[in-house]
mmCIF file of all heavy atoms in Angstrom:
data_model
loop_
_atom_site.group_PDB
_atom_site.id
_atom_site.type_symbol
_atom_site.label_atom_id
_atom_site.label_comp_id
_atom_site.label_asym_id
_atom_site.label_seq_id
_atom_site.Cartn_x
_atom_site.Cartn_y
_atom_site.Cartn_z
ATOM 1 N N LEU B 156 157.965 -22.606 -6.849
ATOM 2 C CA LEU B 156 156.547 -22.128 -6.606
ATOM 3 C C LEU B 156 155.583 -22.965 -7.446
ATOM 4 O O LEU B 156 155.981 -23.449 -8.511
ATOM 5 C CB LEU B 156 156.422 -20.673 -6.946
ATOM 6 C CG LEU B 156 157.232 -19.691 -6.086
ATOM 7 C CD1 LEU B 156 157.059 -18.276 -6.579
ATOM 8 C CD2 LEU B 156 156.947 -19.839 -4.634
ATOM 9 N N PRO B 157 154.342 -23.127 -6.997
ATOM 10 C CA PRO B 157 153.784 -22.588 -5.779
ATOM 11 C C PRO B 157 154.148 -23.425 -4.555
ATOM 12 O O PRO B 157 154.490 -24.584 -4.646
ATOM 13 C CB PRO B 157 152.283 -22.691 -6.055
ATOM 14 C CG PRO B 157 152.117 -23.855 -6.955
ATOM 15 C CD PRO B 157 153.380 -23.890 -7.792
ATOM 16 N N ILE B 158 154.122 -22.745 -3.403
ATOM 17 C CA ILE B 158 154.291 -23.423 -2.120
ATOM 18 C C ILE B 158 152.977 -23.400 -1.397
ATOM 19 O O ILE B 158 152.342 -22.355 -1.234
ATOM 20 C CB ILE B 158 155.366 -22.672 -1.253
ATOM 21 C CG1 ILE B 158 156.766 -22.795 -1.910
ATOM 22 C CG2 ILE B 158 155.386 -23.200 0.171
ATOM 23 C CD1 ILE B 158 157.796 -21.933 -1.260
ATOM 24 N N LYS B 159 152.563 -24.564 -1.028
ATOM 25 C CA LYS B 159 151.193 -24.622 -0.404
ATOM 26 C C LYS B 159 151.317 -25.257 0.972
ATOM 27 O O LYS B 159 151.907 -26.326 1.154
ATOM 28 C CB LYS B 159 150.231 -25.419 -1.277
ATOM 29 C CG LYS B 159 149.870 -24.646 -2.545
ATOM 30 C CD LYS B 159 148.726 -25.319 -3.308
ATOM 31 C CE LYS B 159 148.459 -24.742 -4.655
ATOM 32 N NZ LYS B 159 148.033 -23.298 -4.655
ATOM 33 N N ASP B 160 150.752 -24.621 1.955
ATOM 34 C CA ASP B 160 150.770 -25.027 3.371
ATOM 35 C C ASP B 160 149.278 -24.822 3.820
ATOM 36 O O ASP B 160 148.580 -23.996 3.300
ATOM 37 C CB ASP B 160 151.737 -24.170 4.150
ATOM 38 C CG ASP B 160 151.803 -24.540 5.610
ATOM 39 O OD1 ASP B 160 150.951 -24.072 6.375
ATOM 40 O OD2 ASP B 160 152.702 -25.341 5.986
ATOM 41 N N PRO B 161 148.881 -25.611 4.843
ATOM 42 C CA PRO B 161 147.480 -25.372 5.316
ATOM 43 C C PRO B 161 147.218 -23.939 5.781
ATOM 44 O O PRO B 161 146.073 -23.498 5.657
ATOM 45 C CB PRO B 161 147.376 -26.318 6.552
ATOM 46 C CG PRO B 161 148.335 -27.410 6.267
ATOM 47 C CD PRO B 161 149.485 -26.737 5.527
ATOM 48 N N TYR B 162 148.270 -23.197 6.235
ATOM 49 C CA TYR B 162 148.037 -21.898 6.764
ATOM 50 C C TYR B 162 148.540 -20.744 5.860
ATOM 51 O O TYR B 162 148.207 -19.568 6.133
ATOM 52 C CB TYR B 162 148.718 -21.746 8.103
ATOM 53 C CG TYR B 162 148.172 -22.741 9.122
ATOM 54 C CD1 TYR B 162 148.903 -23.880 9.442
ATOM 55 C CD2 TYR B 162 146.943 -22.621 9.655
ATOM 56 C CE1 TYR B 162 148.378 -24.822 10.314
ATOM 57 C CE2 TYR B 162 146.369 -23.526 10.532
ATOM 58 C CZ TYR B 162 147.167 -24.648 10.860
ATOM 59 O OH TYR B 162 146.625 -25.563 11.744
ATOM 60 N N TYR B 163 149.325 -21.037 4.850
ATOM 61 C CA TYR B 163 149.789 -20.014 3.911
ATOM 62 C C TYR B 163 150.142 -20.629 2.589
ATOM 63 O O TYR B 163 150.295 -21.867 2.451
ATOM 64 C CB TYR B 163 150.992 -19.255 4.500
ATOM 65 C CG TYR B 163 152.232 -20.097 4.703
ATOM 66 C CD1 TYR B 163 153.077 -20.442 3.682
ATOM 67 C CD2 TYR B 163 152.564 -20.545 5.985
ATOM 68 C CE1 TYR B 163 154.197 -21.225 3.888
ATOM 69 C CE2 TYR B 163 153.693 -21.292 6.208
ATOM 70 C CZ TYR B 163 154.506 -21.613 5.163
ATOM 71 O OH TYR B 163 155.638 -22.400 5.375
ATOM 72 N N SER B 164 150.176 -19.747 1.580
ATOM 73 C CA SER B 164 150.657 -20.218 0.271
ATOM 74 C C SER B 164 151.459 -19.113 -0.356
ATOM 75 O O SER B 164 151.262 -17.930 -0.064
ATOM 76 C CB SER B 164 149.448 -20.649 -0.613
ATOM 77 O OG SER B 164 148.727 -19.534 -1.019
ATOM 78 N N ILE B 165 152.312 -19.476 -1.289
ATOM 79 C CA ILE B 165 153.114 -18.495 -2.043
ATOM 80 C C ILE B 165 153.014 -18.897 -3.497
ATOM 81 O O ILE B 165 153.389 -20.039 -3.833
ATOM 82 C CB ILE B 165 154.568 -18.447 -1.593
ATOM 83 C CG1 ILE B 165 154.693 -18.361 -0.078
ATOM 84 C CG2 ILE B 165 155.331 -17.231 -2.277
ATOM 85 C CD1 ILE B 165 156.109 -18.545 0.411
ATOM 86 N N ASP B 166 152.601 -17.979 -4.351
ATOM 87 C CA ASP B 166 152.519 -18.241 -5.780
ATOM 88 C C ASP B 166 153.016 -17.001 -6.521
ATOM 89 O O ASP B 166 153.544 -16.041 -5.872
ATOM 90 C CB ASP B 166 151.089 -18.589 -6.191
ATOM 91 C CG ASP B 166 151.064 -19.440 -7.457
ATOM 92 O OD1 ASP B 166 152.075 -19.475 -8.223
ATOM 93 O OD2 ASP B 166 150.049 -20.116 -7.702
ATOM 94 N N TYR B 167 152.915 -16.942 -7.805
ATOM 95 C CA TYR B 167 153.362 -15.767 -8.515
ATOM 96 C C TYR B 167 152.483 -15.473 -9.720
ATOM 97 O O TYR B 167 151.786 -16.366 -10.228
ATOM 98 C CB TYR B 167 154.806 -15.947 -8.967
ATOM 99 C CG TYR B 167 155.016 -16.883 -10.131
ATOM 100 C CD1 TYR B 167 155.127 -16.423 -11.465
ATOM 101 C CD2 TYR B 167 155.101 -18.272 -9.986
ATOM 102 C CE1 TYR B 167 155.269 -17.275 -12.542
ATOM 103 C CE2 TYR B 167 155.265 -19.117 -11.028
ATOM 104 C CZ TYR B 167 155.372 -18.637 -12.291
ATOM 105 O OH TYR B 167 155.542 -19.487 -13.381
ATOM 106 N N ARG B 168 152.573 -14.233 -10.185
ATOM 107 C CA ARG B 168 151.983 -13.874 -11.479
ATOM 108 C C ARG B 168 153.057 -13.125 -12.236
ATOM 109 O O ARG B 168 153.892 -12.446 -11.653
ATOM 110 C CB ARG B 168 150.705 -13.033 -11.323
ATOM 111 C CG ARG B 168 150.786 -11.755 -10.541
ATOM 112 C CD ARG B 168 149.516 -10.963 -10.636
ATOM 113 N NE ARG B 168 148.483 -11.494 -9.771
ATOM 114 C CZ ARG B 168 148.171 -11.057 -8.560
ATOM 115 N NH1 ARG B 168 148.833 -10.035 -8.027
ATOM 116 N NH2 ARG B 168 147.202 -11.584 -7.824
ATOM 117 N N ASN B 169 153.094 -13.346 -13.583
ATOM 118 C CA ASN B 169 154.177 -12.699 -14.359
ATOM 119 C C ASN B 169 153.628 -11.562 -15.245
ATOM 120 O O ASN B 169 152.402 -11.507 -15.567
ATOM 121 C CB ASN B 169 154.975 -13.736 -15.162
ATOM 122 C CG ASN B 169 154.112 -14.580 -16.019
ATOM 123 O OD1 ASN B 169 152.930 -14.859 -15.657
ATOM 124 N ND2 ASN B 169 154.631 -15.020 -17.159
ATOM 125 N N TYR B 170 154.542 -10.686 -15.576
ATOM 126 C CA TYR B 170 154.206 -9.501 -16.361
ATOM 127 C C TYR B 170 154.899 -9.538 -17.712
ATOM 128 O O TYR B 170 155.809 -10.338 -17.932
ATOM 129 C CB TYR B 170 154.622 -8.235 -15.563
ATOM 130 C CG TYR B 170 153.773 -8.022 -14.336
ATOM 131 C CD1 TYR B 170 154.137 -8.588 -13.129
ATOM 132 C CD2 TYR B 170 152.594 -7.271 -14.379
ATOM 133 C CE1 TYR B 170 153.333 -8.435 -11.984
ATOM 134 C CE2 TYR B 170 151.827 -7.112 -13.260
ATOM 135 C CZ TYR B 170 152.205 -7.659 -12.087
ATOM 136 O OH TYR B 170 151.433 -7.509 -10.918
ATOM 137 N N ASP B 171 154.462 -8.610 -18.618
ATOM 138 C CA ASP B 171 155.018 -8.588 -19.951
ATOM 139 C C ASP B 171 156.506 -8.345 -20.000
ATOM 140 O O ASP B 171 157.223 -8.768 -20.950
ATOM 141 C CB ASP B 171 154.333 -7.470 -20.796
ATOM 142 C CG ASP B 171 152.916 -7.863 -21.163
ATOM 143 O OD1 ASP B 171 152.634 -9.050 -21.087
ATOM 144 O OD2 ASP B 171 152.142 -6.971 -21.560
ATOM 145 N N ASP B 172 157.017 -7.646 -18.968
ATOM 146 C CA ASP B 172 158.493 -7.344 -19.031
ATOM 147 C C ASP B 172 159.234 -8.480 -18.384
ATOM 148 O O ASP B 172 160.401 -8.299 -17.982
ATOM 149 C CB ASP B 172 158.768 -6.027 -18.285
ATOM 150 C CG ASP B 172 158.354 -6.052 -16.791
ATOM 151 O OD1 ASP B 172 157.756 -7.056 -16.385
ATOM 152 O OD2 ASP B 172 158.658 -5.100 -16.080
ATOM 153 N N ARG B 173 158.648 -9.670 -18.278
ATOM 154 C CA ARG B 173 159.313 -10.880 -17.726
ATOM 155 C C ARG B 173 159.610 -10.758 -16.228
ATOM 156 O O ARG B 173 160.371 -11.588 -15.733
ATOM 157 C CB ARG B 173 160.590 -11.212 -18.507
ATOM 158 C CG ARG B 173 160.314 -11.546 -19.982
ATOM 159 C CD ARG B 173 161.571 -11.807 -20.743
ATOM 160 N NE ARG B 173 161.347 -11.846 -22.154
ATOM 161 C CZ ARG B 173 161.332 -10.797 -22.970
ATOM 162 N NH1 ARG B 173 161.608 -9.587 -22.486
ATOM 163 N NH2 ARG B 173 161.101 -10.930 -24.225
ATOM 164 N N SER B 174 159.032 -9.748 -15.588
ATOM 165 C CA SER B 174 159.172 -9.722 -14.119
ATOM 166 C C SER B 174 158.031 -10.458 -13.485
ATOM 167 O O SER B 174 157.037 -10.746 -14.184
ATOM 168 C CB SER B 174 159.241 -8.268 -13.643
ATOM 169 O OG SER B 174 157.980 -7.627 -13.889
ATOM 170 N N ILE B 175 158.141 -10.728 -12.202
ATOM 171 C CA ILE B 175 157.067 -11.453 -11.531
ATOM 172 C C ILE B 175 156.649 -10.718 -10.262
ATOM 173 O O ILE B 175 157.392 -9.874 -9.745
ATOM 174 C CB ILE B 175 157.445 -12.884 -11.189
ATOM 175 C CG1 ILE B 175 158.666 -12.871 -10.202
ATOM 176 C CG2 ILE B 175 157.772 -13.687 -12.451
ATOM 177 C CD1 ILE B 175 158.914 -14.229 -9.627
ATOM 178 N N GLU B 176 155.461 -11.040 -9.813
ATOM 179 C CA GLU B 176 154.969 -10.535 -8.509
ATOM 180 C C GLU B 176 154.641 -11.758 -7.704
ATOM 181 O O GLU B 176 153.892 -12.624 -8.201
ATOM 182 C CB GLU B 176 153.748 -9.654 -8.706
ATOM 183 C CG GLU B 176 153.184 -9.133 -7.409
ATOM 184 C CD GLU B 176 151.922 -8.323 -7.600
ATOM 185 O OE1 GLU B 176 150.890 -8.918 -8.010
ATOM 186 O OE2 GLU B 176 151.978 -7.081 -7.411
#
Side-chain angles (χ1 to χ4, degrees):
Chain B
L156 297 178
I158 293 172
K159 289 191 189 297
D160 181 275
Y162 300 104
Y163 62 79
S164 71
I165 311 170
D166 206 340
Y167 75 96
R168 56 173 78 98
N169 53 330
Y170 292 88
D171 286 344
D172 62 353
R173 296 176 192 89
S174 66
I175 61 169
E176 178 183 69

